[in-house]
């Protein structure tokens, strides 16, 4: 794949919540899984990745509580499929710190 340009919160703001655009499994067709990500900054700015258009946006994650901010992440990545269709990124968890 190719990297798109960085999307960043305005100065003094931080990430609070996110959602993914995910394509459901298509059976024998080429599956793409997670295609894009959007995030909301503490001042309300919306950041949206320039990923693929396949799939549907999921629900927004719960925002970080209080004055918390995103400080970590975990990804779910499918292992390469020898004879099958590899999808790559399937899900993301973001973690909040205060």
């Amino acid at each position: 794949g190719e990297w798109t340009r960085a999307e960043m919160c305005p100065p003094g703001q931080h990430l609070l919540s996110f959602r993914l655009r995910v394509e459901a499994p298509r059976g024998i067709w080429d599956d793409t899984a997670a295609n894009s990500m959007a995030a909301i900054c503490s001042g309300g700015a919306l950041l949206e990745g320039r990923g693929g258009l396949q799939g549907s946006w999921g629900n927004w994650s719960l925002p970080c509580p209080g004055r918390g901010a995103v400080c970590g992440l975990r990804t779910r990545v499918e292992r390469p499929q020898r004879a099958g269709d590899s999808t790559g990124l399937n899900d993301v968890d973001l973690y909040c710190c205060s």
Side-chain angles (χ1 to χ4, degrees), residues 1 20-37 51-57 76-78 81 84-92:
L20 291 176
R21 177 182 285 178
V22 179
E23 182 182 43
R26 299 179 56 197
I28 63 170
W29 305 105
D30 186 26
D31 292 328
T32 61
N35 288 298
S36 195
M37 181 175 160
L53 299 176
Q54 300 93 332
S56 303
W57 287 107
R76 178 185 231 163
V77 179
E78 182 182 49
Q81 306 295 300
D85 180 22
S86 299
T87 58
L89 181 65
N90 285 274
D91 205 353
V92 175

Side-chain angles (χ1 to χ4, degrees), residues 22-76:
V22 179
E23 182 182 43
R26 299 179 56 197
I28 63 170
W29 305 105
D30 186 26
D31 292 328
T32 61
N35 288 298
S36 195
M37 181 175 160
I40 296 177
C41 300
S42 55
L46 173 66
L47 308 179
E48 190 169 310
R50 289 173 168 68
L53 299 176
Q54 300 93 332
S56 303
W57 287 107
N59 294 327
W60 286 99
S61 67
L62 294 175
C64 292
R67 298 176 58 91
V70 173
C71 62
L73 65 97
R74 176 175 72 155
T75 59
R76 178 185 231 163

